[in-house]
């Protein structure tokens, strides 16, 4: 009798164990993944994203937790999402007002050099205090161009885009946005008014420039009013000529000698004025110059600056706690060398949110769905709910920022798409569909 009783006891124990496991299993293995997948699946299972490289991260600020992830640890080309890193650098290293010019005096001579501030004579920005200082100086003016030791274009930029408006050159003292603005009846700066030539007929009107000189040419003929910007080839000599022409006084170049750390700084426009334009219209030139201004702030001895210095400083001193090391090469995102992960961008946006706790100010800097910037024609709603930065290159579309749900919850998101072959408009629409669902149902 002992053997049957023993067998019966063992069988009963096994049944109880199986029943116990079955009753607890849905809570830990089935239900929890289902809850997590609620916001991941629209991205992971999207037929539009099927052949692209896609990553997604969604973070709840109130809960302080990530509520959805899909390939968020993978690296992506971020395009202009890079400007979020540039914004954080500016918020961390620049004050409320932009350092616009450094200068020193010797007798009746004013020796001045640029900080990277891009606002002087810029056609789309308010007047700069720098112009008033130079215009009202009664003595000699000397421009010192030797404080910039970087190159005119960023690493990984497309060499063929040198004449496109979005790839203006990097300089320590930009003038006129480092572009020539052509309209039907005007050329600015006027020093280039005789530099435009017709280069033949084409059905499409287009302006361009010789790669290695400031000779501009047009093909076709404009059929309507137009405004088009073409970057000019920069040089220290041209900077002095442009200033002299505008100020109506001589501007000479100062020789390359050590300037030391005794100088004055002239502060200009509010920093938010620059950040807002940089993020709203995705101004590449402004982004690069912000990083150069950050490098100048670090260069207290005027030893020489380049953008790489500020990138390295911010990475090593301010961003060591990101989930994944950012591969960060320029300020604008024009470089194909940049690589970030969605979860690192979300972590960066948490840092920005902590640094700018005023939601009205922070969200006003971003492109605003249905209202302003590169998102003006998307996410249309009575009350804006997406405040973000777009990022576009060929076969790249990324969107990262803040989302305010119908229930008033603030979420941080990053959705990144690379290597797709469908039209970008399809990727953009699918991204909008997914984020709108989060807005309505989270």
């Amino acid at each position: 009798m002992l053997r049957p009783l023993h067998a019966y006891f063992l069988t009963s124990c096994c049944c109880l164990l199986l029943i116990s496991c079955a009753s607890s299993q849905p809570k830990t293995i089935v239900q929890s993944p289902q809850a997590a997948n609620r916001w991941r699946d629209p991205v992971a299972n999207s037929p539009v994203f099927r052949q692209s490289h896609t990553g997604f991260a969604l973070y709840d600020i109130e809960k302080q937790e990530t509520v959805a992830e899909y390939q968020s640890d993978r690296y992506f080309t971020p395009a202009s999402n890079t400007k979020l890193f540039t914004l954080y650098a500016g918020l961390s290293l620049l004050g409320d007002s932009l350092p616009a010019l450094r200068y020193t005096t010797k007798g009746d001579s004013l020796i001045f050099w640029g900080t990277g501030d891009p606002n002087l004579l810029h056609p789309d920005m308010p007047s700069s205090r720098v112009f008033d200082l130079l215009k009202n100086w009664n003595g000699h003016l000397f421009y010192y161009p030797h404080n910039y030791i970087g190159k005119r274009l960023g690493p990984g930029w497309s060499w063929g885009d040198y004449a496109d408006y979005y790839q203006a050159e990097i300089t320590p003292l930009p003038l006129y946005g480092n572009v020539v603005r052509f309209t039907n009846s005007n050329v600015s700066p006027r020093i280039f008014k005789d530099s435009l030539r017709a280069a033949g007929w084409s059905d499409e009107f287009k302006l361009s420039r010789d790669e290695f000189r400031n000779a501009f040419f047009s093909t076709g003929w404009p059929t309507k009013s137009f405004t088009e910007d073409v970057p000019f080839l920069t040089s220290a000599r041209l900077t002095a000529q442009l200033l002299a022409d505008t100020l109506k006084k001589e501007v000479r170049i100062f020789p390359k000698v050590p300037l030391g750390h005794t100088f004055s700084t002239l502060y200009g426009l509010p920093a938010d004025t620059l950040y807002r334009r940089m993020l709203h219209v995705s101004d590449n030139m402004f982004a690069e110059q912000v990083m150069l201004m950050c490098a100048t702030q670090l260069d207290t001895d005027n030893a020489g600056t380049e953008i790489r210095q500020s990138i390295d400083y911010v990475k090593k001193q301010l961003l060591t706690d990101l989930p994944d090391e950012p591969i960060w090469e320029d300020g604008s995102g024009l470089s194909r060398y940049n690589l970030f992960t969605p979860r690192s961008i979300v972590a960066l946006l948490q840092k920005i949110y902590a640094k700018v706790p005023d939601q009205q100010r922070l969200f006003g800097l971003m492109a605003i769905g249905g209202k302003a910037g590169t998102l003006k024609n998307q996410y249309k709603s009575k009350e804006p709910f997406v405040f973000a930065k777009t990022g576009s290159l060929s076969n790249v579309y990324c969107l990262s920022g803040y989302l305010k749900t119908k229930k008033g919850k603030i979420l941080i998101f990053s959705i990144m798409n690379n290597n797709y072959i469908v039209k970008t408009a399809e990727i953009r629409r699918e991204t909008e569909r997914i984020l709108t669902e989060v807005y309505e149902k989270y």
Side-chain angles (χ1 to χ4, degrees):
M1 291 295 294
L2 288 175
R3 282 188 176 182
L5 285 172
H6 185 256
Y8 177 79
F9 177 75
L10 287 175
T11 302
S12 299
C13 288
C14 288
C15 289
L16 289 170
L17 182 61
L18 287 171
I19 291 170
S20 173
C21 288
S23 64
S24 62
Q25 204 169 25
K27 293 181 180 178
T28 58
I29 298 177
V30 179
Q31 291 182 359
S32 179
Q34 284 178 343
N37 289 345
R38 172 68 184 86
W39 306 110
R40 185 198 70 181
D41 282 354
V43 176
N45 299 330
S46 169
V48 179
F49 298 158
R50 183 176 61 85
Q51 281 192 294
S52 66
H53 179 40
T54 302
F56 176 58
L58 186 67
Y59 180 86
D60 188 315
I61 289 181
E62 182 181 355
K63 294 180 180 178
Q64 296 188 17
E65 67 179 20
T66 299
V67 295
E69 290 184 295
Y70 175 67
Q71 299 193 142
S72 69
D73 61 340
R74 306 291 179 88
Y75 279 89
F76 294 81
T77 300
S80 284
N81 274 200
T82 304
K83 293 182 176 71
L84 294 171
F85 285 77
T86 299
L87 172 65
Y88 182 71
L91 292 171
S92 301
L93 294 175
L94 305 177
D96 293 336
S97 297
L98 298 172
L101 196 75
R102 286 182 174 179
Y103 63 93
T104 187
T105 59
K106 292 184 181 297
D108 67 346
S109 297
L110 180 72
I111 305 163
F112 62 94
W113 56 102
T115 61
D117 179 23
N119 290 299
L120 183 56
L121 302 174
H122 194 289
D124 299 319
M125 298 299 287
S127 178
S128 169
R129 293 178 63 199
V130 173
F131 181 81
D132 294 333
L133 172 68
L134 300 180
K135 182 69 174 177
N136 297 327
W137 184 259
N138 291 323
H140 300 291
L141 291 175
F142 288 93
Y143 170 53
Y144 183 86
H146 313 291
N147 61 310
Y148 180 60
I149 58 176
K151 297 181 179 180
R152 62 188 181 93
L153 300 178
W157 288 13
S158 176
W159 68 269
D161 293 347
Y162 66 88
D164 290 320
Y165 73 93
Y166 52 78
Q167 196 163 288
E169 296 181 7
I170 305 166
T171 57
L173 185 62
L175 300 176
Y176 295 94
N178 284 350
V179 297
V180 182
R181 174 159 293 181
F182 295 92
T183 67
N184 297 74
S185 58
N186 188 46
V187 176
S188 178
R190 63 183 182 181
I191 198 173
F192 296 112
K193 65 182 177 64
D194 296 324
S195 300
L196 181 64
R197 298 288 183 272
W201 178 253
S202 170
D203 290 336
E204 179 186 4
F205 173 68
K206 182 175 176 59
L207 293 171
S208 192
R209 194 200 82 213
D210 187 272
E211 184 174 357
F212 299 112
R213 62 195 182 100
N214 284 317
F216 301 88
F217 56 88
S218 65
T219 56
W221 190 259
T223 58
K224 56 184 179 181
S225 62
F226 74 94
T227 299
E228 189 165 343
D229 295 338
V230 181
F232 57 76
L233 187 68
T234 62
S235 69
R237 181 170 174 269
L238 179 58
T239 298
Q241 286 179 331
L242 286 169
L243 279 174
D245 182 70
T246 305
L247 297 169
K248 307 298 183 189
K249 57 171 63 177
E250 184 181 21
V251 177
R252 288 179 280 181
I253 295 177
F254 202 74
K256 187 177 181 180
V257 296
L259 293 179
H261 59 271
T262 303
F263 58 87
S264 298
T265 300
L266 178 69
Y267 289 87
L269 296 178
D272 280 6
T273 306
L274 184 60
Y275 301 149
R276 190 176 299 110
R277 178 178 171 84
M278 177 183 77
L279 298 175
H280 274 205
V281 302
S282 203
D283 193 306
N284 295 324
M285 185 264 195
F286 277 21
E288 299 299 337
Q289 299 297 148
V290 166
M291 293 307 299
L292 185 54
M293 279 190 284
C294 289
T296 301
Q297 288 293 90
L298 299 171
D299 181 30
T300 56
D301 294 327
N302 290 303
T305 60
E306 60 177 330
I307 289 172
R308 182 79 254 167
Q309 297 164 343
S310 54
I311 290 176
D312 288 344
Y313 177 88
V314 175
K315 278 184 61 175
K316 294 175 182 178
Q317 302 298 325
L318 305 176
L319 296 179
T320 56
D321 55 347
L322 293 185
D324 309 291
E325 179 188 359
I327 310 303
W328 183 11
E329 297 296 332
D330 71 358
S332 63
L334 280 170
S335 177
R336 291 274 181 173
Y337 298 159
N338 293 313
L339 290 171
F340 305 142
T341 66
R343 66 183 185 181
S344 282
I345 291 183
V346 165
L348 176 78
L349 286 163
Q350 292 177 55
K351 287 176 170 288
I352 293 173
Y353 191 85
K355 194 169 281 292
V356 189
D358 181 348
Q359 280 187 18
Q360 184 175 1
R361 177 193 171 200
L362 176 58
F363 293 173
L365 295 178
M366 303 289 172
I368 304 172
K371 186 178 179 181
T374 54
L375 293 177
K376 184 177 182 179
N377 297 320
Q378 292 179 268
Y379 303 95
K380 293 183 178 180
S381 176
K382 185 177 180 180
E383 293 292 332
F385 64 92
V386 169
F387 312 88
K389 183 70 201 75
T390 55
S392 300
L393 290 170
S394 298
N395 313 107
V396 172
Y397 181 75
C398 303
L399 185 68
S400 303
Y402 306 95
L403 188 150
K404 188 174 183 179
T405 71
K406 272 189 173 180
K407 295 181 180 179
K409 295 182 179 295
I410 305 298
L411 307 177
I412 300 175
F413 70 89
S414 178
I415 183 165
M416 307 183 77
N417 276 283
N418 284 187
N419 302 338
Y420 55 82
I421 58 173
V422 300
K423 292 182 177 179
T424 296
E426 294 183 44
I427 301 294
R428 193 184 296 118
R429 282 194 296 267
E430 182 70 351
T431 301
E432 182 175 6
R433 183 191 68 80
I434 290 167
L435 292 178
T436 300
E437 183 176 344
V438 174
Y439 159 70
E440 291 175 343
K441 299 179 180 179
Y442 187 89

